[in-house]
Amino acid sequence: MPELRAKRHLLTSRAVFTAAELAHCRSRPDPAASLTGLFSAKEACVKALSTLGGAPPYTFPEIEITHGPAGQPRLRPHGRLAGWWAERRLAAEISISHTGDLAGSVAVLLEDRGTGMGDNTTTLPPPAPAPTPADEWDVTEHRAEIELRPNDFDWAGHLNNSVHPQLLETGRWQWALANDVDLRDSELVAVVLQLRLDYLASVEWNPVGKVAVRTSLAERSAYSFTLAQDIEELDGTVVARGRVRLGLVERGTRRIHRADLAALRRTPGRAG
């Protein structure tokens, strides 16, 4: 992000961003941060496209990042890429997250396997039936106490912003294990599709201190589920609040798997 702040000409340049992208970023409270997020999303899309092979030549403005009604990022291809994209009936799921001076993105491409493309791509399974009461997930909230390390703090004596997503991930693992879900030797991989993290208060220097991560299931759909996660001081003061949307991908085929609790608890590759 500091690099883009120094390159003010990118706020008007059409070499990387479209006019709509530039207008969107200029309307945001921190245009440089928004530019950084869009640039990382474009890079993620380029890497995802490279795994498919056969795409026609394209430029960065031809992989435009737009936003849905709720602000969710979307990919809109242009030029020859748009025709190639439509022929293969591709779709994309994009997530952009910011922490401190860093921005990161994840892009997952989805395709219709009836188009005859290769087997090494991510595919969307048939629609799942609507859940019934018998399908409801039997999971409980979990509170994990996590030790902090001296190098988790910055020069000012505050818990570094980049440490918070790591704490959430540790909390997710412990929540899963507490609910009899263990993906360490599983054929399923949990992929972060979207992360929202609100920083509410600082955690002061304590090289032998602890924080707690409280994790609960917030909502789920056929192919994803969202966890609500709070980072707390041990006295219960909430210092950060996160919401993480996760999807499941089959390790061998790289296909998207239905978000099914029974599958999580009895996935291939696990004993028992």
Side-chain angles (χ1 to χ4, degrees):
M1 197 177 301
E3 292 82 357
L4 280 182
R5 293 189 193 280
K7 298 176 181 178
R8 302 293 297 177
H9 65 282
L10 288 179
L11 289 173
T12 57
S13 171
R14 298 285 292 276
V16 178
F17 303 100
T18 66
E21 288 172 330
L22 292 172
H24 169 79
C25 291
R26 285 196 293 266
S27 71
R28 306 302 295 167
D30 189 341
S34 296
L35 276 179
T36 305
L38 292 192
F39 185 80
S40 70
K42 286 173 179 278
E43 283 196 317
C45 290
V46 168
K47 292 175 181 177
L49 284 166
S50 70
T51 66
L52 298 182
Y58 58 88
T59 61
F60 258 40
E62 290 177 307
I63 45 175
E64 182 179 26
I65 306 300
T66 63
H67 295 82
Q72 64 271 35
R74 294 174 174 172
L75 171 60
R76 177 186 295 166
H78 295 282
R80 293 173 58 192
L81 181 65
W84 178 85
W85 181 275
E87 287 175 2
R88 287 152 181 79
R89 299 170 65 183
L90 295 174
E93 289 281 353
I94 301 172
S95 172
I96 304 175
S97 59
H98 295 267
T99 177
D101 282 338
L102 302 177
S105 297
V106 175
V108 177
L109 298 187
L110 312 174
E111 57 138 341
D112 185 331
R113 296 192 75 80
T115 59
M117 296 188 65
D119 290 335
N120 293 324
T121 51
T122 304
T123 60
L124 187 66
T132 64
D135 290 329
E136 292 300 325
W137 283 23
D138 179 21
V139 293
T140 60
E141 180 180 275
H142 181 69
R143 185 176 186 270
E145 292 190 2
I146 302 172
E147 292 185 355
L148 300 176
R149 304 164 300 176
N151 58 348
D152 288 338
F153 296 86
D154 61 23
W155 64 271
H158 302 140
L159 187 65
N160 198 302
N161 284 348
S162 64
V163 174
H164 291 68
Q166 300 173 39
L167 294 171
L168 294 186
E169 183 168 8
T170 300
R172 289 195 296 275
W173 275 101
Q174 296 201 26
W175 170 85
L177 293 173
N179 284 285
D180 193 31
V181 173
D182 189 351
L183 298 184
R184 288 175 294 184
D185 298 313
S186 168
E187 287 301 315
L188 295 180
V189 179
V191 178
V192 175
L193 301 178
Q194 187 176 47
L195 168 63
R196 175 177 176 176
L197 184 56
D198 296 321
Y199 297 93
L200 305 178
S202 63
V203 177
E204 302 301 326
W205 164 257
N206 185 347
V208 293
K210 292 182 179 180
V211 293
V213 177
R214 189 182 301 275
T215 304
S216 61
L217 179 66
E219 60 187 36
R220 71 183 182 95
S221 65
Y223 299 111
S224 68
F225 56 96
T226 301
L227 298 179
Q229 294 191 277
D230 287 350
I231 301 176
E232 305 173 344
E233 297 271 22
L234 295 187
D235 63 4
T237 302
V238 178
V239 298
R241 179 154 287 160
R243 287 180 75 90
V244 184
R245 186 162 64 95
L246 300 164
L248 299 175
V249 176
E250 296 175 0
R251 189 183 300 274
T253 64
R254 297 171 69 181
R255 296 182 184 179
I256 291 181
H257 193 283
R258 184 184 173 191
D260 184 301
L261 182 61
L264 284 170
R265 285 175 168 165
R266 295 190 301 274
T267 53
R270 287 182 56 191

